[in-house]
Amino acid sequence: PPFQKFTVHVLDKQHPAVKNLPAQWETNDECYFFKELNASVKVLLVSDISNIRESRDGKNITPHVFGNRYPAAWCHEFDGGKIMYTALGHSKEDYSNTTYLSHILEGLKWVMDKPKPNYKKAKATSSAIDEMKYF
């Protein structure tokens, strides 16, 4: 969808990546839609898409997999490491917005915080690299 205002809601106020955020806030951004989400991730933020204009030409592009609240940020611990993803932050104004910057900074702190990654839990096979095709 085109850039427009929508509301973002915090789902887990205890998580470091969102602990300093208001329970909800308005943003002006692109709203990313996903058809699938790994069931083992922890969703931290959702976008309320109940009032958004879906596309410039009026075509329905929303997969409606998650109803009117779409995942906007999530985290995951796996294979001895941590990841955090955010689907927000598509305008230069976001990087002077204290709410958004708090989300990014605290998320990065959480990813880099102790304990250090346990590389013994990491799983990778050399066949995955062998199967890659370089162009």
Side-chain angles (χ1 to χ4, degrees):
F3 271 80
Q4 59 195 291
K5 285 196 181 287
F6 58 90
T7 304
V8 177
H9 298 269
V10 174
L11 290 186
D12 180 3
K13 195 66 173 159
Q14 302 306 308
H15 194 278
V18 297
K19 69 180 181 183
N20 296 327
L21 303 182
Q24 65 182 41
W25 81 92
E26 291 251 326
T27 189
N28 188 33
D29 206 333
E30 296 174 299
C31 190
Y32 275 24
F33 297 136
F34 306 94
K35 291 182 181 177
E36 297 177 13
L37 191 67
N38 183 328
S40 64
V41 302
K42 180 178 187 91
V43 177
L44 303 172
L45 300 173
V46 292
S47 301
D48 181 347
I49 64 167
S50 59
N51 294 317
I52 69 163
R53 187 178 74 245
E54 295 193 30
S55 68
R56 287 183 180 92
D57 61 7
K59 291 182 181 175
N60 182 349
I61 59 172
T62 309
H64 294 291
V65 175
F66 302 103
N68 283 331
R69 295 209 171 183
Y70 253 75
W74 55 86
C75 64
H76 187 54
E77 293 184 57
F78 69 101
D79 287 356
K82 298 177 184 177
I83 64 160
M84 192 198 87
Y85 174 85
T86 186
L88 303 170
H90 297 104
S91 71
K92 66 181 179 179
E93 292 80 18
D94 290 328
Y95 297 91
S96 59
N97 178 315
T98 56
T99 301
Y100 180 72
L101 289 175
S102 177
H103 167 51
I104 296 299
L105 178 61
E106 297 304 325
L108 287 170
K109 286 180 184 177
W110 175 77
V111 168
M112 297 184 309
D113 196 16
K114 310 258 184 291
K116 288 185 178 181
N118 182 349
Y119 297 109
K120 291 180 181 177
K121 292 184 178 180
K123 300 173 185 145
T125 62
S126 60
S127 63
I129 293 172
D130 295 337
E131 293 173 10
M132 294 175 111
K133 301 203 183 325
Y134 298 96
F135 297 95

